[in-house]
Amino acid sequence: MEVVQDSSVLFLDYELYSFLQSKDIKKKGKFNKFQQGLSTIEYEVNKYLSNMPSSTQTPEQIGNIIEALKPYALTMTEVFQIINLRPKSLIDLTLIIEECESRFTEENLESLLIVVKEQLPRDDDDEEEEEEEEESGEEEGEGEEEAEEEEEEEDNNEEYDEMDLLVDESSYKKDAEDDIDGEAGDDD
Amino acid sequence: MFMVTTIKDTVKILPRYFYKNRNEAIIDEINHKYSNKVLHNVGLCIELLDLVEVSEGVVLPCKDGGYTVKVTFKMIVFRPFIGETLIGKVSNSSEKGIKVSMGFFDDITIPASQLTPDTTFDKAQNVWIWNFNETDKLYIDKNEEIRFQVLTELFVDTGPMSKKKPFGQDSQESTKQLNESAESELVVPYSIIGTITQQGLGLTSWWD
């Protein structure tokens, strides 16, 4: 076994969740002992992620928020963490963004929070009307219960393909990512 | 955060799996070998994402009749970076600190020195308490959702060299195996040391 060096790419919680969802449909009721490790980890990861913000995200939302966050000059890991954790308050943001106080003013952060709230709507938010309506128009198939299994599966696969593109698109921030990687390496 | 890492490996497909198509058999074999296991300095393997390259199958002159292929594939691994904020659940408390579990990954420790300042341990109740002010005492109870930051990570090589006996899947000496597995459980191949000293970290209910 050999690990290809420097080949690691970040993977959104959302991407993993939709990947697992699309697989689940195919494999339902096909438990076998040979794949015990896989079944265990799939179940646990799925359980964990379904409680996270990523469980309600759609490919459009991810695309939009990456666009919307561009003006803020965040590093790729910061963008990914914002998508994964969906910060609700200033204090959440300060945990995600490095040297938050020197890089951003309070107004900037407030507006960033609003962007996050608008682009990644959640049921537990107070304001969900406008954005939610827009999103649900196109993503009906996903939001509602599985009407037809086949359709679902296609949906998910499509999402998945799109996500591949997204990651490529956002890799233009590679420099920023390298910085972070370098730091992490030092600590090793 | 999860990552995708490219790995090269040689996979053997035994005749009993010839009923599957080739890629399916390879995917199953790789998932069987890697899923839910820690790769040293790589992280916890979740699942195969995609095959990148599969060589021609070679039948080696041995008795099993299987064929061997060289595969390059993408593996989804769990490997949070230093400083990343994660959410887990408190699974255990002791004087030494708090154990946190993420469901699929349990080896997360927050040592006593990395807890919120002014936190004391209550021996009688076996629980850490944050003395927020004189009247308010915030308990870090079991199964509460906790937000923490990754301070360091620790990989320990638990390969066959470091043990007397390599582990086998189906051995006849099941009792011996049991004893050994109880011992080897003490060695954790990949653990994360967390911290909740910063503002905003700690139980999620504190900050809502």
Side-chain angles (χ1 to χ4, degrees):
Chain A
M1 193 217 71
E2 179 196 338
V3 178
V4 180
Q5 292 299 317
D6 302 321
S7 62
S8 293
V9 186
L10 293 176
F11 204 54
L12 277 174
D13 283 5
Y14 158 76
E15 291 175 282
L16 180 56
Y17 187 70
S18 60
F19 175 69
L20 290 178
Q21 290 308 96
S22 67
K23 280 200 71 179
D24 264 355
I25 294 161
K26 280 184 218 158
K27 288 202 335 184
K28 228 159 227 175
K30 252 176 128 190
F31 177 83
N32 62 15
K33 243 189 167 177
F34 182 64
Q35 295 292 8
Q36 212 168 16
L38 178 69
S39 314
T40 312
I41 195 106
E42 264 188 353
Y43 171 77
E44 292 287 0
V45 170
N46 207 359
K47 195 168 130 195
Y48 176 78
L49 289 180
S50 57
N51 287 324
M52 300 295 281
S54 52
S55 58
T56 56
Q57 288 165 359
T58 63
E60 282 82 11
Q61 287 179 359
I62 310 279
N64 290 343
I65 191 154
I66 289 177
E67 273 303 310
L69 290 177
K70 266 184 188 165
Y72 292 94
L74 296 161
T75 64
M76 198 165 119
T77 41
E78 283 161 357
V79 172
F80 271 52
Q81 281 212 277
I82 287 177
I83 298 171
N84 281 346
L85 297 168
R86 215 197 77 105
K88 284 182 197 156
S89 59
L90 281 177
I91 213 154
D92 292 353
L93 267 185
T94 51
L95 289 172
I96 295 171
I97 301 172
E98 272 184 66
E99 290 166 43
C100 193
E101 277 149 31
S102 56
R103 281 168 64 194
F104 295 98
T105 63
E106 204 165 299
E107 291 101 62
N108 267 338
L109 292 175
E110 294 277 7
S111 71
L112 209 159
L113 274 180
I114 293 169
V115 169
V116 173
K117 203 169 186 181
E118 275 176 359
Q119 301 293 342
L120 301 174
R122 286 275 289 177
D123 298 341
D124 48 7
D125 278 343
D126 306 322
E127 323 157 14
E128 46 189 335
E129 308 95 43
E130 340 100 281
E131 287 295 321
E132 199 96 290
E133 262 168 24
E134 269 180 44
E135 296 291 347
S136 61
E138 283 167 26
E139 279 304 308
E140 210 86 295
E142 210 214 31
E144 285 180 3
E145 297 121 58
E146 313 101 79
E148 280 165 67
E149 283 210 346
E150 278 178 14
E151 231 181 75
E152 268 278 300
E153 194 178 322
E154 263 177 39
D155 261 21
N156 280 320
N157 285 342
E158 266 169 36
E159 269 169 40
Y160 194 64
D161 291 343
E162 278 179 56
M163 279 319 301
D164 264 352
L165 292 175
L166 276 177
V167 171
D168 287 342
E169 183 189 299
S170 51
S171 61
Y172 69 94
K173 282 182 182 162
K174 191 101 209 310
D175 296 0
E177 189 207 358
D178 284 344
D179 280 349
I180 297 277
D181 280 349
E183 267 176 49
D186 291 345
D187 285 329
D188 283 348
Chain B
M1 197 180 301
F2 298 98
M3 300 191 102
V4 173
T5 303
T6 312
I7 299 173
K8 286 181 188 167
D9 200 359
T10 312
V11 175
K12 182 188 248 180
I13 308 295
L14 293 173
R16 78 176 95 133
Y17 301 118
F18 283 179
Y19 70 93
K20 298 175 186 172
N21 78 40
R22 192 189 61 155
N23 281 3
E24 203 184 315
I26 293 169
I27 289 172
D28 283 354
E29 201 62 41
I30 291 170
N31 276 334
H32 172 65
K33 183 173 174 185
Y34 288 88
S35 276
N36 209 3
K37 300 203 173 93
V38 169
L39 272 188
H40 193 60
N41 285 338
V42 175
L44 173 70
C45 294
I46 309 289
E47 190 171 352
L48 179 126
L49 176 70
D50 216 352
L51 294 174
V52 180
E53 204 184 329
V54 180
S55 77
E56 299 259 306
V58 180
V59 180
L60 297 171
C62 57
K63 282 176 189 167
D64 59 21
Y67 66 90
T68 316
V69 281
K70 282 188 177 160
V71 193
T72 310
F73 57 94
K74 288 181 178 170
M75 181 55 97
I76 306 171
V77 294
F78 174 69
R79 173 89 186 269
F81 56 87
I82 310 291
E84 179 172 351
T85 311
L86 291 169
I87 293 175
K89 274 186 178 157
V90 179
S91 65
N92 209 348
S93 300
S94 75
E95 255 173 281
K96 286 177 189 163
I98 295 174
K99 276 266 183 198
V100 178
S101 161
M102 290 178 76
F104 60 93
F105 186 76
D106 298 324
D107 301 312
I108 305 163
T109 336
I110 302 171
S113 58
Q114 293 299 333
L115 294 173
T116 326
D118 296 326
T119 312
T120 50
F121 187 66
D122 186 333
K123 264 188 185 168
Q125 297 177 69
N126 210 24
V127 67
W128 283 91
I129 302 163
W130 181 26
N131 303 303
F132 181 61
N133 55 36
E134 275 170 22
T135 46
D136 285 321
K137 287 194 170 164
L138 298 168
Y139 286 72
I140 305 180
D141 282 323
K142 230 178 171 180
N143 289 327
E144 290 282 336
E145 215 171 62
I146 189 168
R147 197 186 287 130
F148 61 94
Q149 245 171 13
V150 180
L151 189 69
T152 46
E153 53 182 8
L154 195 69
F155 280 100
V156 179
D157 195 349
T158 54
M161 292 299 282
S162 55
K163 267 188 274 171
K164 276 175 198 159
K165 252 189 178 178
F167 80 97
Q169 272 160 338
D170 22 44
S171 92
Q172 299 93 341
E173 319 152 311
S174 52
T175 43
K176 262 192 185 174
Q177 192 96 51
L178 268 179
N179 289 339
E180 226 176 77
S181 69
E183 254 172 59
S184 65
E185 255 174 23
L186 298 173
V187 186
V188 178
Y190 175 38
S191 50
I192 291 174
I193 313 293
T195 171
I196 55 166
T197 46
Q198 266 198 61
Q199 287 258 313
L201 298 171
L203 298 194
T204 43
S205 54
W206 293 350
W207 304 99
D208 281 343

